Amino acid sequence: MRGKAVLAALGAVATLSAQTASAQACGADSGTAELVRSGKLIEFETLMMAVSLRCARAGVDLRPVYEGMLSVNAARFNGAHEAVQRLFGTTRGTGYDRYVTQVANRYGGGATDPQKCAIFRAVAATLANPASDPRALPAVADAMIAAPVLRDMLCPAGR
């Protein structure tokens, strides 16, 4: 019951976040908007990896649902990484590597508890279901990643 309430709340937040993000997107460039969406997926994937590791330390194993989420959504996550790699180039130690390091540093710290782990488990389990609505992943990423690193890189303040 609690998991359904959390997912309903995420859906409402996702709708508001998507409207706000599109209103604040820099320029009218649809390519930039697509890259920002890719950045949100990458950051969400990284956030869930970090949470999975923290929850394991708290005695809650999210690995099966996290890996299921990755498997079911592999094409979308891979597509997001490929789009950002094209933007930065693939030379090791530059561009893309610096970007993913910055993202990992953003989500690598923090603490959690079993109650928060249960919420993240419900989110990952929903996204791991092959029959889930295809709009669920981008909606959850929008709700959970309000200000992606990539948006800040592509859309400096005042632009």
Side-chain angles (χ1 to χ4, degrees):
M1 181 76 152
R2 184 176 181 187
K4 288 183 181 182
V6 168
L7 294 175
L10 280 175
V13 171
T15 301
L16 291 173
S17 295
Q19 292 168 353
T20 302
S22 62
Q24 295 176 346
C26 65
D29 182 4
S30 64
T32 299
E34 186 59 37
L35 282 168
V36 169
R37 281 190 290 277
S38 291
K40 284 186 175 197
L41 287 177
I42 291 168
E43 289 193 42
F44 174 69
E45 177 186 12
T46 304
L47 166 72
M48 291 301 290
M49 177 189 61
V51 165
S52 178
L53 294 170
R54 284 195 299 270
C55 288
R57 284 194 308 264
V60 180
D61 188 7
L62 298 185
R63 198 175 25 210
V65 293
Y66 167 70
E67 290 173 359
M69 178 194 78
L70 292 179
S71 177
V72 166
N73 295 287
R76 289 176 124 169
F77 287 125
N78 290 338
H81 283 281
E82 289 168 6
V84 175
Q85 282 176 329
R86 282 191 302 275
L87 172 70
F88 288 116
T90 56
T91 306
R92 284 186 63 71
T94 61
Y96 181 74
D97 287 346
R98 280 194 296 247
Y99 164 70
V100 294
T101 299
Q102 192 173 359
V103 169
N105 288 339
R106 176 179 271 187
Y107 298 103
T112 195
D113 58 55
Q115 292 80 22
K116 289 178 185 168
C117 292
I119 294 168
F120 281 106
R121 181 192 307 250
V123 170
T126 298
L127 297 173
N129 181 348
S132 67
D133 187 329
R135 297 172 294 182
L137 176 61
V140 170
D142 276 345
M144 295 181 83
I145 311 298
V149 169
L150 194 58
R151 186 189 70 198
D152 295 342
M153 295 171 94
L154 294 171
C155 307
R159 184 173 160 191

